Amino acid sequence: MHDVRTVKTARPPGPPGPPGMLRLAAASLAGTAIEFYDFFVYGTAAALVLGPLFFPTFSPVAGTLAAFGTFGVGFVARPLGSVLFGHIGDRHGRRPVLVVSLLLTGASTVAVGCVPAYDTLGVAAPVLLLVLRFLQGLGLGGEWGGAVLLTAEHAPAERRALWSSFPQVGPAVGFVLANGVTLALAASLSEDQFAQWGWRVPFWAAGVPALLGLWLRSSLTESPSFLELDEHARVPLAEVVRDHWRLVLLTAGGLAVGYAIFYAVTTWSLAYATERLGVSRTVMLVCIMAAVVVKGALTPFAALLGDRYGRRPMCLSGCAAAAVWMFPMVALLSTGEPLLMFLGFLGAMLAFITMFAVIAAYLPELYEPRVRCTGAAVGYNLGGVLGGALTPIVATALAEQGGRVPWGVAAYLTGIALLSLGCFALLPETRPVRVRADAVPAA
């Protein structure tokens, strides 16, 4: 028998109309963009400068691996953040999660820009970097669940994938902002200036949008699904582990390929092309950013397909496309030609968004409302550990062992795609039955 807390509250009104949904979706998008800006700016810095600054006694490759190790700590922290903030979201509401997670991520990001390098603090410098990266991950682990659930639980069933895809556009916006700032600095500063202080500016700049995000989120209303609950789980994580462990593992395995693709393109390829192929940092950032911009722009259109044809078919199609495209992507990257590299990245991003455009609707629909914030967030962020934390490290090591074309990286990414395909094949379809019935013409 569950240990529960009874909550007596008036029944909330039905889903808001399009103007209300647009305001809610915009606030969620702004928040995820800000938090993912914070997260991505670290990944770019790890690929470009953190190795020599914080691990100067290592060889260039070992320094890059160590920097990517601190990058991976953020992913390890994300499931812990999803447990902490999921507990708050399932017990006290989705809205408080959005405020606290944004505050934590923003403050830790600004602090990263203030950490002195190894030549000033010695070993304490990378240790501080590690701690702040952990706090970044902790905040982001709560952000996704709160933003997505607040949007998905307000949205009408027939357009849930569309409206809940707006927070999914946030990572693309955050990535473009993070790399746009880095690109502008890299183009206007000398190598020495960028290494000495220029890389810190994007971290310091994170404070302004974080304050803006807090202001935007202060006016959001609580989720109707949360208000409708008559009882809340006392320990949501315990219920998730006991009753939904298989679902958590399958969703984590299914999402792993999306993370692997995204960070292979945006983090590993940046380091590989600049260090091994001699491609300029500016060229690489432009190629990657262009592919991510297309991905972000197409997200709502892919979500509409999810509302029309279902969540599971979109996820299976994206995994299959990823499995087919990883070898061509690595081959195109290895040419060092900007247009060919862009085409390789674009194909990977299209496979990615075919899946991730509908995930914000799919995951909440898989879990019952009383543990939805914890279950969906834990599954989503465990996928990040499997696919995101390890990919830059494993890919860097595999590329070091290969020739000019790192086929081992392509094989690794293809293997993850096939794993995710199998996981999604074992999950059910969740598109509301009423919507499916409405889509079938009467005889």
Side-chain angles (χ1 to χ4, degrees):
M1 183 175 179
H2 300 309
D3 192 0
V4 297
R5 176 170 62 92
T6 301
V7 176
K8 295 180 180 179
T9 181
R11 296 293 180 187
M21 279 306 307
L22 191 58
R23 285 194 298 271
L24 178 62
S28 296
L29 187 157
T32 53
I34 292 163
E35 292 219 37
F36 276 92
Y37 166 91
D38 297 349
F39 203 72
F40 290 145
V41 79
Y42 190 102
T44 302
L48 297 177
V49 297
L50 295 188
L53 287 176
F54 288 88
F55 304 95
T57 60
F58 291 18
S59 70
V61 173
T64 299
L65 284 170
F68 281 153
T70 63
F71 175 73
V73 166
F75 286 97
V76 175
R78 283 173 65 170
L80 299 178
S82 66
V83 170
L84 171 63
F85 288 104
H87 182 90
I88 296 171
D90 284 326
R91 291 272 292 169
H92 304 290
R94 319 318 191 195
R95 188 173 172 272
V97 171
L98 298 183
V99 176
V100 180
S101 64
L102 183 57
L103 186 61
L104 176 60
T105 307
S108 58
T109 302
V110 173
V112 168
C114 301
V115 177
Y118 185 92
D119 59 4
T120 301
L121 282 187
V123 176
V127 170
L128 277 174
L129 206 62
L130 208 66
V131 170
L132 292 171
R133 179 61 175 174
F134 181 87
L135 293 176
Q136 265 193 329
L138 204 67
L140 192 60
E143 162 64 27
W144 186 86
V148 162
L149 286 191
L150 202 62
T151 307
E153 291 181 341
H154 273 92
E158 65 275 9
R159 284 290 179 262
R160 185 174 294 134
L162 173 63
W163 287 115
S164 60
S165 73
F166 279 78
Q168 294 295 80
V169 178
V173 175
F175 179 85
V176 171
L177 288 175
N179 285 276
V181 172
T182 303
L183 181 60
L185 289 166
S188 59
L189 300 177
S190 67
E191 290 283 342
D192 286 342
Q193 288 174 323
F194 185 81
Q196 288 173 7
W197 59 268
W199 69 271
R200 299 179 183 275
V201 174
F203 291 93
W204 296 335
V208 175
L211 292 175
L212 175 62
L214 289 172
W215 176 74
L216 282 172
R217 290 182 166 187
S218 63
S219 62
L220 296 181
T221 59
E222 186 52 76
S223 156
S225 294
F226 178 81
L227 295 176
E228 286 175 345
L229 288 173
D230 293 321
E231 57 184 23
H232 299 158
R234 186 173 182 82
V235 185
L237 179 62
E239 287 195 28
V240 169
V241 171
R242 183 185 64 241
D243 301 331
H244 305 288
W245 62 269
R246 181 176 179 273
L247 186 56
V248 169
L249 293 179
L250 287 176
T251 52
L255 295 173
V257 66
Y259 284 101
I261 290 173
F262 193 87
Y263 289 101
V265 169
T266 61
T267 303
W268 167 73
S269 69
L270 181 60
Y272 174 77
T274 54
E275 294 173 7
R276 293 285 299 276
L277 303 180
V279 181
S280 78
R281 181 167 51 204
T282 301
V283 168
M284 281 305 298
L285 287 173
V286 169
C287 289
I288 295 169
M289 286 171 59
V292 174
V293 166
V294 176
K295 176 203 79 104
L298 292 180
T299 297
F301 298 99
L304 279 172
L305 294 177
D307 277 326
R308 177 65 179 85
Y309 298 107
R311 294 38 161 149
R312 185 170 173 268
M314 296 293 289
C315 292
L316 292 173
S317 299
C319 289
V324 170
W325 189 248
M326 291 302 96
F327 276 89
M329 184 196 79
V330 168
L332 291 169
L333 168 64
S334 299
T335 66
E337 294 293 328
L339 180 58
L340 296 179
M341 291 190 298
F342 165 71
L343 291 176
F345 298 153
L346 179 60
M349 288 293 102
L350 292 178
F352 168 88
I353 204 55
T354 301
M355 295 173 276
F356 270 57
V358 300
I359 285 299
Y362 197 16
L363 261 64
E365 289 170 348
L366 285 167
Y367 292 89
E368 58 181 307
R370 58 182 286 118
V371 295
R372 182 174 286 160
C373 197
T374 300
V378 168
Y380 185 84
N381 288 295
L382 277 179
V385 175
L386 294 174
L390 296 178
T391 292
I393 299 171
V394 173
T396 300
L398 289 173
E400 182 66 15
Q401 302 302 317
R404 180 175 175 83
V405 182
W407 297 121
V409 176
Y412 169 75
L413 295 173
T414 301
I416 295 178
L418 294 174
L419 168 68
S420 294
L421 183 68
C423 290
F424 279 124
L426 295 173
L427 288 171
E429 177 57 72
T430 61
R431 189 165 54 114
V433 174
R434 179 172 59 83
V435 176
R436 291 181 236 173
D438 290 346
V440 178

